[in-house]
Amino acid sequence: MLDIKDFSIFETQTGFDFKGFLIKIGSYWKWFLLSLLVTFTIAYEVNIRKEKIYGMETLISVKEENNPFFTSNTSLVFNWGGTSDQVQTISTTLQSRSHNELVVDKLQYYIGYLAKGKYNIVDAYGAVPFYVNIDKKKGQIAGNLIGIKFLSENEYEIRIPFESNSVSIVSYSDNSYRKTAVAKGDFVKRYKVGEQVSLPFLNWKLQIKDNPGFYKGNEYFVQFNDFDTTVSAYKGIIVKADDKGGSIITLGMQGTNKARMVEYLNSTVKMLIKRQLDNKNQFATNTIEFIDSTLVSMESQLKATTNELKSFRQGKNILDIQGDGSKFSDKALEFDVKKDEVTRKITYYNSLKAYLKNSVDYSKLPAPTVAGIEDPNIVVNVSKLISLSTQRSEMAYAVKSDKIFRDFDNQMEAIKKVLLENIATAKASLEYDLAMVNSKINQTESSIKQLPEDQQELIKIKRKYDLSDNIYSTFLQKRSEANIVKAANLPDIHFIDPAKDIGGGLIGPKTSVNYVLALFLGLLIPLIFVFGVFFVNNSIQNTEDISKLTQLPLIGVTGLSKEGTNLAVFERPKSALSESFRAIRSSLQFLYKQQQLDGAKTLMITSSVSGEGKTFCALNIATVFALSEKKTVIIGLDLRKPKLFDEFKITNEVGVVNYLIKQNTLDEIINTTQIPYLDVIVSGPIPPNPAEMIMSDAMKELIEELKKKYDYIILDTPPVGLVSDALELAQYCDVTLYIVRQNFTKKEMITLLNNRVKRGELHNTSIILNGFQNKAKYGAGYGYGYGYGYGSTTYSNGYHEEDKPKSFLQTILKKYRKNHMQ
């Protein structure tokens, strides 16, 4: 039937022993040191193999440059907006895909020039003594490393390892890819410098740079990379506007090759200047194109009227208009020119109105001044519309926000509405002017009709000629003005500090980060290991563990023997270990005194399982009693696994078993030892029924007889956690010592001990912590010379001989013998 005491295991739930965990961590300092050594070594190896990272910068300014030839008649300047707008536009453009595509294509940065470094292959752009000219329309092997070894100054060898029977070919004219068949293995072929290489997978001409230096015998590599991937890498250019000066922009790049970054930073700014100037001249360019197309038709018209005038004069023999005809002719020409100006303005307005209603791209609009329109509202709004349209198209490749495009569209829609209203107002005024001019022309023509017919005909032809000549001259003048404006335009972007390699610029790699990570991992890995060991190891570590698990008194703490024998007290009576057993002797005498015992005293020594040091403690406790000149006998009652006889170099042929079966007398089984006052009774032959023999009356008789001859009787019994022999012997004992071994006895065994004590199976039980080491990994240290008193924490400090330091080999041998003998 189960007893309620059997469930007492639930009474001893313990929390996390943080102090013990910290001490455990300290005990494994060698593992932490080794782990840190390994992680820091790895970090060092990683750091020295990392390529150095450099940072390069260029400084530019944005200043709106006005055309020095700007007048009301030459308002052909394209404006990007205010300075702040330009800075934002420039920042966006520099990071746009379309802009970087132009720069990468111009510099051919999709061609990688590489060389062998100390640990890996590195970017050698600017350091290789050659460059390759490629035909963009022909295919180049994509991604593979092309080895180039210079056999002489004028001859080189190409080596390409093919891992399969086909490779990818890229044509940079349209960035298209295709496959081509190759022979698996290494392709090797020699070429002359400057010789055209024409292969299915490679088409180039290798040229040597000026001042190449010594390169004979050196080996380099060329690699053709994906165009779009290369562009994406350069889109990450750093663009920062100066907080103190809004018109100052800093461009920065980070990478492993300073020469490549310097050239790219300067080239991207030059490309930006070119594009900005082209856009700035767009108004003038549009105007020139419009004028050129007009001049073509006007030139043919002027030529026709010239021939007509020449023919008329020859046929009629009239060279010039005379008298009143000259006056009428001049008036007619004046009114014709006026009419042409008004008509051209109306025509421009009609064309502009249709363009605004039917088109969405306004970047190609010609300047209003080309038609003689000087209305500031028209000129400014057309300029704004072209500016917004151009900016929107520039941002299309870099900005993905629909809101920004909607803002542009809303602004352009508002300007369009204003322009349409301005056009309607201007056209109404021009139509009135046209009616007035037509009226005056009619009056003049009425006067001309009064002249002779020849004069009328000559005036008619000359009017056509003079009008065409006047218009042609006007357009020539405007074209000249537009060219002057275009040539005089200045870019708004200027270099302050072009990128330049002046040494330094090293910003990486961040070796400190790797070392910090090494420190973290070097501590974390063994910490996790210790944490696992701490939780997996459910054994007794220190006295605090015992005090948490049981109310039974702890009367002593013993260490490990540093000698090759279990008779530690006899071999070294002044050692710390001997002092700890003397302290236990004092505690036992106090226990006996409490029980008011007279005569012989009995002591049973047991434990949970084998290997916890029962025999070791029994021998040394018996020794300290014997050394105090008390007649002491130690009985080996572990009938299943006898081993007491080995310690005294005697045989196990005659012992307790022989007495219990009435084969030998008491005097015949008692053995004297080299230790005065100490006798020993071994177990004897292993019986088939050890438990029954211990329960026999003969055992009681044995104890009674021994009490007559000895002061102290010490029973070395089997483990109580494995067999019941010790429980049967408990009735003969005054005190029971339960041996707990540090880092060996499981905590659950203490709970079982509590149950046995509560059920009365063991009585007057005390605990000894055996095998204690004064090291951090075993818990709080008390030293070998500390013994606990019964029910108190009093202890005595041993006066003992100091151990001489031993060599490392001696220490290993001692530990080996010690672990195998206990």
Side-chain angles (χ1 to χ4, degrees):
M1 180 175 179
L2 289 174
D3 194 286
I4 189 66
K5 298 173 183 177
D6 294 328
F7 298 97
S8 62
I9 188 172
F10 299 106
E11 298 174 6
T12 57
Q13 299 296 324
T14 58
F16 179 72
D17 185 4
F18 188 72
K19 177 182 177 182
F21 180 62
L22 291 180
I23 295 173
K24 191 85 170 179
I25 291 174
S27 71
Y28 285 91
W29 65 271
K30 293 181 181 178
W31 289 98
F32 281 89
L33 184 62
L34 178 62
S35 177
L36 288 171
L37 181 63
V38 171
T39 54
F40 272 91
T41 300
I42 293 174
Y44 172 75
E45 292 297 328
V46 170
N47 285 340
I48 63 175
R49 281 167 172 76
K50 277 189 173 182
E51 291 189 68
K52 290 181 171 57
I53 305 298
Y54 299 92
M56 305 301 295
E57 289 185 345
T58 184
L59 201 63
I60 62 174
S61 67
V62 181
K63 181 182 179 182
E64 188 174 348
E65 297 286 356
N66 293 321
N67 195 309
F69 290 94
F70 174 80
T71 65
S72 60
N73 293 325
T74 58
S75 55
L76 305 172
V77 180
F78 175 79
N79 193 344
W80 276 29
T83 300
S84 60
D85 293 335
Q86 290 196 56
V87 170
Q88 180 60 40
T89 303
I90 288 169
S91 299
T92 303
T93 302
L94 286 169
Q95 295 176 318
S96 68
R97 180 181 58 80
S98 58
H99 175 80
N100 284 282
E101 280 181 350
L102 295 174
V103 182
V104 168
D105 184 63
K106 179 177 181 293
L107 298 176
Q108 293 190 347
Y109 268 15
Y110 43 80
I111 303 177
Y113 296 93
L114 312 167
K116 283 186 178 180
K118 185 176 181 181
Y119 298 104
N120 45 30
I121 295 177
V122 298
D123 183 2
Y125 182 86
V128 295
F130 66 94
Y131 62 93
V132 294
N133 288 324
I134 65 169
D135 187 344
K136 293 183 179 181
K137 295 181 180 180
K138 295 182 179 179
Q140 314 291 344
I141 184 171
N144 289 45
L145 284 177
I146 305 170
I148 296 176
K149 185 174 183 179
F150 286 94
L151 306 176
S152 66
E153 285 77 3
N154 297 315
E155 187 179 19
Y156 66 96
E157 179 184 81
I158 293 177
R159 181 180 295 272
I160 308 174
F162 292 123
E163 298 179 355
S164 63
N165 294 323
S166 64
V167 292
S168 294
I169 302 299
V170 58
S171 296
Y172 288 110
S173 58
D174 55 0
N175 295 320
S176 62
Y177 285 83
R178 60 184 174 85
K179 291 280 188 177
T180 188
V182 294
K184 190 174 181 180
D186 286 353
F187 172 85
V188 181
K189 196 169 184 179
R190 295 183 179 184
Y191 289 93
K192 295 290 185 182
V193 170
E195 180 183 355
Q196 179 66 44
V197 177
S198 297
L199 297 170
F201 48 82
L202 188 63
N203 294 272
W204 77 27
K205 186 180 291 185
L206 185 145
Q207 303 284 2
I208 298 297
K209 293 181 179 178
D210 296 334
N211 302 318
F214 179 79
Y215 58 90
K216 180 182 176 182
N218 293 351
E219 187 175 7
Y220 304 94
F221 299 92
V222 173
Q223 187 175 40
F224 292 98
N225 301 306
D226 180 68
F227 181 82
D228 292 331
T229 303
T230 305
V231 171
S232 297
Y234 288 98
K235 282 176 62 180
I237 187 171
I238 303 168
V239 183
K240 295 187 296 184
D242 194 334
D243 295 334
K244 298 180 181 179
S247 63
I248 305 299
I249 298 177
T250 302
L251 308 181
M253 292 187 72
Q254 295 180 2
T256 59
N257 188 290
K258 292 196 283 186
R260 183 182 290 274
M261 291 187 291
V262 165
E263 187 168 1
Y264 194 88
L265 284 172
N266 292 332
S267 296
T268 193
V269 174
K270 290 176 182 177
M271 181 65 71
L272 182 69
I273 291 173
K274 179 182 180 301
R275 296 182 69 192
Q276 191 258 353
L277 192 57
D278 289 344
N279 287 330
K280 197 171 187 179
N281 289 330
Q282 186 172 354
F283 216 170
T285 302
N286 294 348
T287 301
I288 292 171
E289 291 176 355
F290 176 80
I291 291 174
D292 287 343
S293 62
T294 305
L295 285 175
V296 171
S297 61
M298 290 302 302
E299 188 174 356
S300 59
Q301 184 178 347
L302 181 62
K303 186 176 181 180
T305 53
T306 302
N307 292 333
E308 184 180 359
L309 180 61
K310 188 176 181 180
S311 300
F312 179 82
R313 284 175 173 171
Q314 288 178 352
K316 301 296 184 180
N317 198 20
I318 299 177
L319 297 178
D320 203 352
I321 303 172
Q322 298 177 353
D324 292 336
S326 176
K327 180 177 67 173
F328 294 142
S329 176
D330 292 340
K331 283 186 177 181
L333 177 62
E334 178 184 351
F335 295 141
D336 285 341
V337 171
K338 183 65 175 177
K339 180 180 179 181
D340 179 72
E341 290 179 359
V342 175
T343 303
R344 275 193 289 117
K345 290 180 181 180
I346 294 175
T347 302
Y348 179 85
Y349 282 137
N350 290 334
S351 176
L352 179 60
K353 182 178 179 181
Y355 202 90
L356 293 176
K357 290 184 175 180
N358 301 325
S359 180
V360 293
D361 181 11
Y362 311 107
S363 59
K364 300 298 182 181
L365 282 175
T369 52
V370 74
I373 298 172
E374 299 176 4
D375 185 345
N377 292 327
I378 302 293
V379 174
V380 170
N381 285 328
V382 169
S383 177
K384 287 182 178 179
L385 196 60
I386 294 175
S387 174
L388 290 172
S389 182
T390 304
Q391 288 184 53
R392 190 186 190 282
S393 62
E394 286 285 340
M395 298 179 72
Y397 294 106
V399 179
K400 302 300 180 183
S401 174
D402 293 336
K403 182 180 181 303
I404 295 178
F405 291 125
R406 284 197 300 271
D407 291 342
F408 273 102
D409 293 339
N410 291 336
Q411 292 181 55
M412 288 190 290
E413 191 63 31
I415 294 174
K416 280 169 58 178
K417 290 181 179 179
V418 173
L419 272 175
L420 290 173
E421 291 179 1
N422 292 337
I423 289 171
T425 303
K427 277 184 65 178
S429 176
L430 288 172
E431 286 173 354
Y432 175 78
D433 292 342
L434 181 61
M436 293 296 295
V437 171
N438 285 332
S439 174
K440 292 180 179 180
I441 289 175
N442 291 333
Q443 293 177 6
T444 304
E445 287 179 345
S446 298
S447 301
I448 291 173
K449 288 180 178 179
Q450 297 176 5
L451 297 173
E453 290 184 5
D454 291 343
Q455 289 285 344
Q456 291 182 36
E457 187 67 19
L458 180 59
I459 290 174
K460 180 180 178 181
I461 296 172
K462 198 169 185 308
R463 280 178 62 189
K464 287 168 44 178
Y465 172 80
D466 290 340
L467 179 60
S468 298
D469 183 64
N470 183 274
I471 294 172
Y472 190 82
S473 298
T474 301
F475 273 102
L476 282 178
Q477 180 184 356
K478 290 187 176 294
R479 189 183 191 284
S480 177
E481 291 173 353
N483 278 323
I484 291 173
V485 168
K486 184 176 180 180
N489 271 337
L490 298 174
D492 295 341
I493 303 166
H494 305 277
F495 273 113
I496 296 179
D497 272 334
K500 185 178 181 181
D501 179 13
I502 56 174
L506 181 66
I507 61 173
K510 300 294 185 181
T511 56
S512 58
V513 174
N514 287 337
Y515 287 126
V516 170
L517 184 62
L519 176 64
F520 175 73
L521 291 178
L523 296 175
L524 179 64
I525 293 172
L527 185 64
I528 293 174
F529 172 76
V530 173
F531 191 78
V533 169
F534 187 78
F535 278 94
V536 171
N537 186 4
N538 193 32
S539 58
I540 299 296
Q541 299 296 322
N542 49 47
T543 58
E544 292 180 359
D545 288 345
I546 297 175
S547 64
K548 290 177 182 177
L549 294 170
T550 183
Q551 297 297 319
L552 297 175
L554 175 68
I555 67 167
V557 179
T558 63
L560 294 173
S561 173
K562 297 184 178 180
E563 307 299 326
T565 175
N566 280 339
L567 299 173
V569 173
F570 179 72
E571 297 290 340
R572 300 191 63 187
K574 294 183 180 181
S575 67
L577 184 59
S578 299
E579 290 299 323
S580 67
F581 280 107
R582 289 188 178 93
I584 293 172
R585 179 184 64 186
S586 300
S587 298
L588 286 172
Q589 289 173 340
F590 179 77
L591 292 174
Y592 291 134
K593 186 178 180 180
Q594 276 190 328
Q595 298 181 46
Q596 298 180 353
L597 296 174
D598 293 326
K601 287 95 175 168
T602 57
L603 173 66
M604 183 177 75
I605 299 178
T606 187
S607 66
S608 301
V609 293
S610 179
E612 291 172 309
K614 297 182 303 299
T615 302
F616 172 74
C617 291
L619 287 171
N620 287 285
I621 291 174
T623 300
V624 294
F625 278 121
L627 291 176
S628 64
E629 298 184 352
K630 300 293 183 181
K631 292 187 67 176
T632 307
V633 63
I634 179 170
I635 309 173
L637 290 175
D638 190 350
L639 305 183
R640 291 175 171 81
K641 295 176 64 177
K643 56 183 177 180
L644 190 62
F645 60 93
D646 279 343
E647 304 301 330
F648 297 100
K649 303 298 187 290
I650 58 178
T651 65
N652 195 40
E653 295 176 358
V654 179
V656 175
V657 173
N658 301 93
Y659 177 85
L660 295 178
I661 63 176
K662 306 300 182 180
Q663 186 178 4
N664 293 90
T665 64
L666 178 61
D667 292 334
E668 291 175 343
I669 65 172
I670 295 175
N671 299 284
T672 59
T673 68
Q674 69 269 34
I675 304 174
Y677 299 99
L678 178 62
D679 293 336
V680 62
I681 300 175
V682 298
S683 60
I686 299 175
N689 55 345
E692 286 74 16
M693 295 187 69
I694 289 176
M695 294 171 61
S696 66
D697 293 336
M699 178 59 69
K700 182 177 180 181
E701 295 175 4
L702 175 63
I703 299 298
E704 293 296 333
E705 288 189 41
L706 289 174
K707 285 185 177 181
K708 297 175 183 178
K709 301 183 64 173
Y710 294 96
D711 297 318
Y712 290 95
I713 302 167
I714 298 174
L715 309 182
D716 181 22
T717 68
V720 72
L722 299 179
V723 293
S724 61
D725 298 7
L727 299 178
E728 301 298 336
L729 293 169
Q731 58 185 312
Y732 306 121
C733 301
D734 301 317
V735 174
T736 299
L737 288 184
Y738 197 90
I739 307 302
V740 173
R741 186 173 177 179
Q742 184 189 52
N743 209 37
F744 188 87
T745 303
K746 302 300 179 184
K747 294 179 180 179
E748 291 82 359
M749 294 300 178
I750 304 299
T751 303
L752 295 177
L753 172 63
N754 291 336
N755 293 339
R756 294 189 184 281
V757 173
K758 289 181 180 179
R759 287 196 294 263
E761 295 175 356
L762 296 174
H763 60 276
N764 294 330
T765 306
S766 298
I767 295 175
I768 291 178
L769 178 59
N770 183 39
F772 183 85
Q773 286 185 300
N774 190 19
K775 293 182 179 179
K777 76 177 189 178
Y778 295 117
Y782 289 88
Y784 294 143
Y786 296 98
Y788 283 81
Y790 180 78
S792 70
T793 58
T794 61
Y795 54 85
S796 61
N797 202 351
Y799 179 73
H800 54 269
E801 295 176 346
E802 295 295 333
D803 295 333
K804 294 181 180 180
K806 295 181 174 61
S807 67
F808 178 75
L809 181 59
Q810 289 175 322
T811 303
I812 295 297
L813 292 174
K814 290 292 183 182
K815 286 186 176 180
Y816 176 80
R817 287 198 296 266
K818 173 179 60 182
N819 291 333
H820 282 74
M821 296 181 71
Q822 291 190 25

